[in-house]
Amino acid sequence: MLWFGGDSYEAAFLTDSQSVGGQIVKALAGYYYVDTGEAVYQCRARGIFKKDGVTPLAGDRVRIVVQDAEEGVVDEILPRKNAFIRPPVANIDLFAVTVAAAAPETSLELTDRFLAMAEAAEADACVCINKDDLSPAAAKRIEGVYQDIYPAVVLSAATGEGVGELRALVAGRSVAFAGASGVGKTSLIALLADEGALKTGDVSARTGRGRHTTRHVEIFTLADGTKIYDTPGFTSFEATVAADLSDFSAAELFPEFRGYLGACRYRDCLHENEPDCAVREALASGAVKRSRYASYLKLLAEMKDAENNY
Ligand SMILES: Nc1nc2c(ncn2[C@@H]2O[C@H](COP(=O)(O)OP(=O)(O)O)[C@@H](O)[C@H]2O)c(=O)[nH]1
Ligand SMILES: [Mg+2]
Ligand SMILES: [Zn+2]
């Protein structure tokens, strides 16, 4: 294990109950690993968080009370730029929704759900289309759906294709890789780490060849300061997700709809079956993609359900 970014003995100079700032770089089994820049402390969270219903997240900027050279207690969570429930991460600049051209087959609905969550969190998003080596035709199809809406990068962690483009996209930002398991998130991160000389963490030992499945969120810092969040994959969303979007209308979570929203006949048009709907006209002309519209209808239905249940 490679927890200590700097000299771990520096921590020994800290006096009891000294408070220092840091960032949670890993959350696992009730422990929070806080990187202070000098060392990484294994921390429990103060009981008060649980009482208040607050869960510290990977990416949180925190203050900890240091107990000894290796342990501390998370005492305060500093205000978040944003937070996600799935994956459980905070303070994201770029949400890199990762899909595979093949193995596993891409669910466009799941992809669109991730993208909608990024919109709700006011994080930038991009689409990483990995495994181009397995099915270039499928990669191109997926790229065609997203390229006018989000930055879309076609990649192969197997051949290194697209990694330069990905590197330019992530440079200097806090980037969460999210997507179904097996699409190659950890493999892509290992590639970024190889070329960028990893400052903290040890992604290479846990990547590739399907041997290590990511089961928790972990943040790696590249030499240029870029923060990369590796997250566990999953295959379905909990129904609660839509409830968390309750401050939004479904349509505003689909950026390519925005240009049409004022042009529908009815001001409260939901773009389902209403006459003279500008979004559905854009669908008919091909300006709005069918899969995106289908994902919109699903999200809209879920958000209506969630509203009725509260
Ligand atoms: N052919 C091919 N296989 C890949 C590629 N990227 C990852 N893999 C393989 O896909 C499997 C899952 O990769 P992993 O990085 O663990 O996926 P994660 O669950 O999204 O983190 C592993 O067996 C990888 O070796 C790629 O670009 N092409
Ligand atoms: Mg992984
Ligand atoms: Zn409409």
Side-chain angles (χ1 to χ4, degrees), residues 126 135 144 211 247 265 304:
C126 67
S135 180
R211 258 182 269 136
D247 287 347
R265 184 201 290 189
K304 281 182 180 172

Side-chain angles (χ1 to χ4, degrees), residues 12-282:
F13 293 110
L14 298 171
T15 54
D16 274 352
S17 79
Q18 183 167 348
S19 167
V20 288
Q23 183 174 38
I24 297 177
V25 292
K26 172 170 148 169
L28 183 62
Y31 283 104
Y32 302 97
Y33 296 82
V34 176
D35 186 349
T36 65
E38 307 270 302
V40 176
Y41 293 88
Q42 177 176 303
C43 300
R44 290 278 189 196
R46 269 177 62 196
I48 185 82
F49 293 128
K50 201 163 206 168
K51 225 174 111 224
D52 293 347
V54 177
T55 308
L57 296 171
D60 267 330
R61 304 260 166 206
V62 297
R63 292 204 67 81
I64 64 170
V65 175
V66 170
Q67 293 178 313
D68 58 37
E70 292 178 2
E71 290 179 313
V73 174
V74 176
D75 196 38
E76 186 186 354
I77 299 172
L78 303 185
R80 291 166 175 161
K81 170 181 168 163
N82 53 31
F84 292 75
I85 297 168
R86 288 200 146 222
V89 296
N91 298 320
I92 299 300
D93 298 323
L94 179 69
F95 204 65
V97 181
T98 309
V99 302
E105 199 180 312
T106 294
S107 159
L108 294 179
E109 192 198 337
L110 183 68
T111 306
D112 291 337
R113 189 62 60 93
F114 275 121
L115 292 167
M117 289 198 308
E119 293 295 328
E122 288 176 30
D124 286 345
C126 67
V127 181
C128 296
I129 306 155
N130 191 36
K131 305 201 187 183
D132 187 43
D133 55 297
L134 295 184
S135 180
K140 211 159 178 48
R141 264 200 312 278
I142 300 166
E143 187 186 24
V145 171
Y146 294 106
Q147 65 188 358
D148 295 335
I149 313 170
Y150 294 102
V153 189
V154 174
L155 294 141
S156 169
T159 68
E161 177 200 347
V163 173
E165 197 182 334
L166 182 60
R167 171 168 306 289
L169 198 58
V170 303
R173 306 166 88 181
S174 289
V175 184
F177 283 80
S181 1
V183 297
K185 298 178 294 297
T186 302
S187 303
L188 288 171
I189 291 167
L191 222 52
L192 287 174
D194 271 356
E195 291 181 15
L198 207 56
K199 211 184 100 198
T200 58
D202 183 11
V203 74
S204 58
R206 23 192 316 277
T207 69
R209 326 253 187 311
R211 258 182 269 136
H212 300 265
T213 306
T214 313
R215 298 191 195 285
H216 54 269
V217 178
E218 188 157 5
I219 301 176
F220 303 96
T221 305
L222 305 186
D224 68 355
T226 304
K227 305 247 179 199
I228 303 285
Y229 297 51
D230 195 7
T231 76
F234 45 90
T235 50
S236 66
F237 269 86
E238 289 172 348
T240 54
V241 168
D244 302 314
L245 302 175
S246 56
D247 287 347
F248 299 86
S249 77
E252 61 188 329
L253 301 176
F254 289 71
E256 75 273 35
F257 289 17
R258 283 176 199 149
Y260 306 106
L261 296 181
C264 300
R265 184 201 290 189
Y266 298 111
R267 234 167 50 93
D268 58 352
C269 187
L270 291 176
H271 328 296
E272 290 181 288
N273 304 303
E274 297 91 335
D276 296 330
C277 168
V279 170
R280 288 201 303 137
E281 277 161 21

